[in-house]
Amino acid sequence: MSVARNLGEYRDDLVDLSASPTVMFHLAHAPHDKIRDAIAHGEEHGRLRVLDVKTILGDGDEAKDKTARGDLHGAGGVTGLKALIAVKTRDGLKMFVMHIEVIVQAIKSALDQKRVIKEALAREVEDLARVARMELESLAQFVEPDSDLRRHPRSTQFPNKTEWAVVNETLQKLGLFDIWPKSKELPGWLRDEVLPVLEWAISKERKPKWPLAQSVEKMVAVDDMVELTPEAEAEQDKDQAEVSVATDLDRFTERFGEALERATGGLMVVSRETPKLRKQVVAVPPLAADEAADGLNETLQDEGASAPAVTA
């Protein structure tokens, strides 16, 4: 709303400069003389960056802050690292919230139209959703080694069926245009699922209420309270036993692979890739033993071979 209200008269200039949503977000709350200075700077240099806008709006404060950060990156030890983490948390959280706000406003603007143009909306939010998801993982998740010989570290996952897991999955889906719902179902998905989840994620309330119809905790509780029939319980026990065996096998394979890699200096490793199953195209019926032996004897006799006869 601030962008539309305060930057409307500068629309053509900002379009010509291909100003990013982040640039416009910072300019939306600036005085008009600062907005004109920023546009003039962009026209002079051919582009308008976020750093340029912050410098213009702060009258050089951004340059001072950049120098201070340079000194901060030279501080060693746990104290220096804590200072870097504090800066990352402060500024990284601001950027994450700002990116979600831009996505929310783009979705609301699209829903205000008579018809949601799927491709146009994707151009506005797809890349930004990927950035926001990476920011969320960087801010809130740890790093763990991959199970594949512990070679490839990756971010940990939010616990399954939790609210932040839903937020992460929502951003992931927004960042993949190919898996969006069809145009007919798109407005309902955006209005009833995406917007409530994203607004919950950046809410300023102390304990924001989960917006979806049924909370995650209740859904989990309902699943746990469902009574199973004896047949279903037996099937569940069987599945759990199979999972246990598979887990033990994975642990053995991992230990064996690590030992083999150490023993051979890395020349030999155990692959964890699942082999592709070969499909038998034509099923050939087996021959009876007597018929196969008689046929082979006749062939040898016709050719005058001196090999001994084959008996079944």
Side-chain angles (χ1 to χ4, degrees):
M1 292 176 63
S2 298
V3 170
R5 181 173 59 250
N6 298 336
L7 300 181
E9 59 181 288
Y10 308 103
R11 174 185 176 86
D12 294 339
D13 295 324
L14 293 172
V15 169
D16 292 339
L17 291 173
S18 300
S20 67
T22 308
V23 166
M24 290 188 286
F25 181 85
H26 286 287
L27 287 176
H29 303 280
H32 287 273
D33 57 333
K34 296 290 186 181
I35 297 176
R36 288 190 288 269
D37 290 343
I39 292 176
H41 181 278
E43 291 175 346
E44 180 181 354
H45 295 84
R47 61 176 181 172
L48 188 58
R49 303 176 303 171
V50 176
L51 178 61
D52 300 329
V53 173
K54 287 184 176 181
T55 303
I56 293 171
L57 297 181
D59 291 329
D61 289 343
E62 181 67 24
K64 296 178 183 178
D65 184 59
K66 187 176 181 180
T67 303
R69 290 189 186 183
D71 297 338
L72 188 64
H73 283 83
V78 176
T79 301
L81 183 59
K82 286 182 177 180
L84 289 175
I85 293 173
V87 173
K88 166 67 180 297
T89 303
R90 182 193 66 199
D91 295 347
L93 179 60
K94 288 180 181 179
M95 294 300 294
F96 171 74
V97 172
M98 181 180 66
H99 291 151
I100 296 297
E101 288 176 343
V102 173
I103 294 173
V104 167
Q105 291 301 326
I107 293 175
K108 287 183 176 179
S109 299
L111 290 174
D112 288 339
Q113 306 300 319
K114 293 182 179 179
R115 185 169 67 92
V116 177
I117 308 301
K118 189 174 179 180
E119 291 77 7
L121 179 60
R123 286 195 295 270
E124 291 191 58
V125 304
E126 186 179 22
D127 291 338
L128 202 55
R130 296 174 183 173
V131 172
R133 179 169 178 255
M134 292 184 66
E135 290 172 333
L136 176 60
E137 293 180 349
S138 177
L139 287 168
Q141 293 180 347
F142 291 93
V143 175
E144 65 178 359
D146 197 349
S147 59
D148 187 6
L149 298 180
R150 304 184 183 275
R151 288 182 173 180
H152 307 291
R154 60 183 179 184
S155 297
T156 59
Q157 301 299 313
F158 291 106
N160 193 26
K161 297 182 180 180
T162 60
E163 287 83 353
W164 281 107
V166 176
V167 174
N168 192 52
E169 292 170 1
T170 301
L171 289 173
Q172 182 182 25
K173 192 169 184 179
L174 273 178
L176 296 173
F177 172 73
D178 293 337
I179 64 174
W180 283 20
K182 296 181 179 180
S183 298
K184 186 177 180 180
E185 294 83 14
L186 185 62
W189 174 63
L190 294 172
R191 180 178 54 254
D192 301 332
E193 297 184 34
V194 176
L195 280 181
V197 168
L198 296 184
E199 290 177 337
W200 177 88
I202 59 174
S203 173
K204 300 296 178 60
E205 298 179 13
R206 183 176 177 83
K207 292 183 178 181
K209 183 180 178 181
W210 183 245
L212 299 186
Q214 193 175 23
S215 70
V216 178
E217 294 86 351
K218 288 183 179 179
M219 288 189 289
V220 175
V222 169
D223 290 340
D224 294 339
M225 291 170 58
V226 174
E227 293 186 4
L228 300 177
T229 63
E231 293 80 4
E233 289 182 352
E235 187 67 23
Q236 187 181 57
D237 294 339
K238 180 181 178 182
D239 293 340
Q240 292 176 351
E242 292 176 351
V243 170
S244 177
V245 171
T247 302
D248 293 340
L249 181 59
D250 288 340
R251 291 174 180 171
F252 171 77
T253 304
E254 184 174 349
R255 291 196 300 268
F256 175 74
E258 292 175 353
L260 180 63
E261 186 176 9
R262 287 195 302 268
T264 60
L267 296 177
M268 298 180 65
V269 296
V270 176
S271 175
R272 298 181 64 86
E273 295 182 359
T274 304
K276 296 182 179 180
L277 297 177
R278 297 181 180 272
K279 184 177 180 182
Q280 187 174 356
V281 181
V282 179
V284 181
L287 295 174
D290 292 340
E291 294 177 356
D294 293 342
L296 181 57
N297 289 332
E298 292 177 0
T299 302
L300 293 173
Q301 292 175 2
D302 292 341
E303 295 178 357
S306 59
V310 178
T311 59

